[in-house]
Amino acid sequence: MFSGKIRKIPLSRRSIRTRFAYKFSKALKELNQKRTFSSSLEAYNRRCYMVKMASYASLASAAGSRRTWSRALLWKIRRNKGLMRTNKSAAPRRRISSLISKKEENPNNNGEDLLGLEGLRKLVPGGEVMDALSLFDETADYIKCLTIQVQIMRKFVHFYSG
Amino acid sequence: MSSRRSRSRHSSTVSRVNEDQINELVSNLQQLLPELRNRCSDKVSAARVLQETCNYIRNLHREVDDLSERLSELLANQDTTQAALIRSLLMQQQS
């Protein structure tokens, strides 16, 4: 009876901590279902990468679309997925790396860098296109969410190794 | 007329970001950093706060990397132990 009561509260009205934990555990379950039983180094690296992407995607969708960083992060993850899917036979790595280097070649220099905002712009998703005020605001929120992500992931590790 | 002119002049400075707003946002950031949280806010420069913010985000990213690696290992191992368990149960049934 008690558990039935808990389930009735919609996920959207729960805390970001709960939403992240729920989405991430669901994503891990899905990852585990389509797992290949290969033990090669490539498969191992790919598994690590998929878990990481699942974690960031869960965080972004738990944070919701109101935040610029979460929209940018989701967009980046989806784009990378698309690139990986469409270029499986072609050389996917070259294309991804050329996209990344192109982005880093033209930083927008508005003379704001007296404070050292360029470093932040590269670290916060979507930071390249934010004005200084929203960059600060989004950074604060991003840090809060990253901290929650690390806390919950530690709990997952503890749970699975226990 | 003069008020309108001053307002338009004001808006051009606002677009270049108000100093008070920046200070408030920087001290807000400082509260989130374990390294600087307990320091008096006027003793730490904005540049220092931003630098520490970058370091902190990098550390958190690195930690997510490590935790992802450990989780994927644990999940893979969990599956192989489960598979081994199921296999041994099947063997027992057969014999």
Side-chain angles (χ1 to χ4, degrees), chain B residues 84-95:
Chain B
L85 190 76
I86 290 166
R87 215 176 299 133
S88 72
L89 281 172
L90 284 173
M91 296 279 271
Q92 274 176 2
Q93 278 182 345
Q94 276 172 356
S95 64

PDB file of all heavy atoms in Angstrom, chain B residues 84-95:
ATOM      1  N   ALA B  84      27.411 -17.552 -14.914  1.00  0.00           N
ATOM      2  CA  ALA B  84      28.067 -18.716 -14.330  1.00  0.00           C
ATOM      3  C   ALA B  84      27.130 -19.457 -13.374  1.00  0.00           C
ATOM      4  O   ALA B  84      27.082 -20.692 -13.357  1.00  0.00           O
ATOM      5  CB  ALA B  84      29.324 -18.274 -13.582  1.00  0.00           C
ATOM      6  N   LEU B  85      26.378 -18.668 -12.609  1.00  0.00           N
ATOM      7  CA  LEU B  85      25.428 -19.258 -11.657  1.00  0.00           C
ATOM      8  C   LEU B  85      24.371 -20.071 -12.390  1.00  0.00           C
ATOM      9  O   LEU B  85      24.087 -21.229 -12.049  1.00  0.00           O
ATOM     10  CB  LEU B  85      24.773 -18.135 -10.849  1.00  0.00           C
ATOM     11  CG  LEU B  85      23.943 -18.560  -9.653  1.00  0.00           C
ATOM     12  CD1 LEU B  85      24.863 -18.971  -8.506  1.00  0.00           C
ATOM     13  CD2 LEU B  85      23.024 -17.441  -9.214  1.00  0.00           C
ATOM     14  N   ILE B  86      23.815 -19.466 -13.443  1.00  0.00           N
ATOM     15  CA  ILE B  86      22.771 -20.146 -14.216  1.00  0.00           C
ATOM     16  C   ILE B  86      23.337 -21.430 -14.844  1.00  0.00           C
ATOM     17  O   ILE B  86      22.699 -22.492 -14.811  1.00  0.00           O
ATOM     18  CB  ILE B  86      22.217 -19.206 -15.307  1.00  0.00           C
ATOM     19  CG1 ILE B  86      21.407 -18.090 -14.653  1.00  0.00           C
ATOM     20  CG2 ILE B  86      21.350 -19.965 -16.306  1.00  0.00           C
ATOM     21  CD1 ILE B  86      21.079 -16.936 -15.544  1.00  0.00           C
ATOM     22  N   ARG B  87      24.572 -21.317 -15.379  1.00  0.00           N
ATOM     23  CA  ARG B  87      25.199 -22.469 -16.024  1.00  0.00           C
ATOM     24  C   ARG B  87      25.370 -23.612 -15.015  1.00  0.00           C
ATOM     25  O   ARG B  87      25.058 -24.766 -15.286  1.00  0.00           O
ATOM     26  CB  ARG B  87      26.558 -22.069 -16.617  1.00  0.00           C
ATOM     27  CG  ARG B  87      26.881 -22.792 -17.899  1.00  0.00           C
ATOM     28  CD  ARG B  87      28.196 -22.282 -18.491  1.00  0.00           C
ATOM     29  NE  ARG B  87      28.158 -20.871 -18.817  1.00  0.00           N
ATOM     30  CZ  ARG B  87      29.098 -19.985 -18.494  1.00  0.00           C
ATOM     31  NH1 ARG B  87      30.158 -20.366 -17.821  1.00  0.00           N
ATOM     32  NH2 ARG B  87      28.992 -18.728 -18.849  1.00  0.00           N
ATOM     33  N   SER B  88      25.835 -23.237 -13.800  1.00  0.00           N
ATOM     34  CA  SER B  88      26.056 -24.293 -12.799  1.00  0.00           C
ATOM     35  C   SER B  88      24.736 -24.924 -12.377  1.00  0.00           C
ATOM     36  O   SER B  88      24.659 -26.123 -12.124  1.00  0.00           O
ATOM     37  CB  SER B  88      26.811 -23.719 -11.593  1.00  0.00           C
ATOM     38  OG  SER B  88      25.971 -22.889 -10.844  1.00  0.00           O
ATOM     39  N   LEU B  89      23.685 -24.087 -12.305  1.00  0.00           N
ATOM     40  CA  LEU B  89      22.368 -24.634 -11.954  1.00  0.00           C
ATOM     41  C   LEU B  89      21.889 -25.603 -13.024  1.00  0.00           C
ATOM     42  O   LEU B  89      21.356 -26.672 -12.733  1.00  0.00           O
ATOM     43  CB  LEU B  89      21.358 -23.487 -11.809  1.00  0.00           C
ATOM     44  CG  LEU B  89      21.422 -22.706 -10.498  1.00  0.00           C
ATOM     45  CD1 LEU B  89      20.517 -21.486 -10.562  1.00  0.00           C
ATOM     46  CD2 LEU B  89      21.034 -23.592  -9.327  1.00  0.00           C
ATOM     47  N   LEU B  90      22.106 -25.243 -14.291  1.00  0.00           N
ATOM     48  CA  LEU B  90      21.707 -26.109 -15.398  1.00  0.00           C
ATOM     49  C   LEU B  90      22.470 -27.425 -15.357  1.00  0.00           C
ATOM     50  O   LEU B  90      21.913 -28.500 -15.576  1.00  0.00           O
ATOM     51  CB  LEU B  90      21.948 -25.403 -16.743  1.00  0.00           C
ATOM     52  CG  LEU B  90      20.929 -24.315 -17.096  1.00  0.00           C
ATOM     53  CD1 LEU B  90      21.343 -23.568 -18.348  1.00  0.00           C
ATOM     54  CD2 LEU B  90      19.544 -24.918 -17.295  1.00  0.00           C
ATOM     55  N   MET B  91      23.768 -27.321 -15.069  1.00  0.00           N
ATOM     56  CA  MET B  91      24.617 -28.519 -14.979  1.00  0.00           C
ATOM     57  C   MET B  91      24.093 -29.449 -13.892  1.00  0.00           C
ATOM     58  O   MET B  91      24.019 -30.663 -14.088  1.00  0.00           O
ATOM     59  CB  MET B  91      26.062 -28.122 -14.651  1.00  0.00           C
ATOM     60  CG  MET B  91      26.750 -27.302 -15.713  1.00  0.00           C
ATOM     61  SD  MET B  91      27.375 -28.290 -17.057  1.00  0.00           S
ATOM     62  CE  MET B  91      29.000 -28.656 -16.436  1.00  0.00           C
ATOM     63  N   GLN B  92      23.721 -28.853 -12.748  1.00  0.00           N
ATOM     64  CA  GLN B  92      23.209 -29.662 -11.636  1.00  0.00           C
ATOM     65  C   GLN B  92      21.941 -30.408 -12.034  1.00  0.00           C
ATOM     66  O   GLN B  92      21.754 -31.568 -11.714  1.00  0.00           O
ATOM     67  CB  GLN B  92      22.910 -28.758 -10.438  1.00  0.00           C
ATOM     68  CG  GLN B  92      24.135 -28.513  -9.560  1.00  0.00           C
ATOM     69  CD  GLN B  92      23.839 -27.554  -8.442  1.00  0.00           C
ATOM     70  OE1 GLN B  92      22.707 -27.102  -8.292  1.00  0.00           O
ATOM     71  NE2 GLN B  92      24.838 -27.246  -7.648  1.00  0.00           N
ATOM     72  N   GLN B  93      21.069 -29.694 -12.775  1.00  0.00           N
ATOM     73  CA  GLN B  93      19.816 -30.312 -13.196  1.00  0.00           C
ATOM     74  C   GLN B  93      20.066 -31.479 -14.148  1.00  0.00           C
ATOM     75  O   GLN B  93      19.370 -32.475 -14.100  1.00  0.00           O
ATOM     76  CB  GLN B  93      18.941 -29.266 -13.880  1.00  0.00           C
ATOM     77  CG  GLN B  93      18.173 -28.420 -12.879  1.00  0.00           C
ATOM     78  CD  GLN B  93      17.268 -27.420 -13.554  1.00  0.00           C
ATOM     79  OE1 GLN B  93      17.407 -27.158 -14.747  1.00  0.00           O
ATOM     80  NE2 GLN B  93      16.360 -26.849 -12.807  1.00  0.00           N
ATOM     81  N   GLN B  94      21.077 -31.291 -15.016  1.00  0.00           N
ATOM     82  CA  GLN B  94      21.351 -32.328 -16.003  1.00  0.00           C
ATOM     83  C   GLN B  94      21.910 -33.588 -15.347  1.00  0.00           C
ATOM     84  O   GLN B  94      21.590 -34.695 -15.746  1.00  0.00           O
ATOM     85  CB  GLN B  94      22.350 -31.813 -17.046  1.00  0.00           C
ATOM     86  CG  GLN B  94      21.652 -31.010 -18.154  1.00  0.00           C
ATOM     87  CD  GLN B  94      22.639 -30.347 -19.061  1.00  0.00           C
ATOM     88  OE1 GLN B  94      23.850 -30.418 -18.822  1.00  0.00           O
ATOM     89  NE2 GLN B  94      22.153 -29.695 -20.095  1.00  0.00           N
ATOM     90  N   SER B  95      22.752 -33.399 -14.337  1.00  0.00           N
ATOM     91  CA  SER B  95      23.421 -34.559 -13.757  1.00  0.00           C
ATOM     92  C   SER B  95      22.531 -35.352 -12.796  1.00  0.00           C
ATOM     93  O   SER B  95      21.451 -34.957 -12.460  1.00  0.00           O
ATOM     94  CB  SER B  95      24.682 -34.118 -13.013  1.00  0.00           C
ATOM     95  OG  SER B  95      24.329 -33.292 -11.927  1.00  0.00           O
TER      96      SER B  95
END
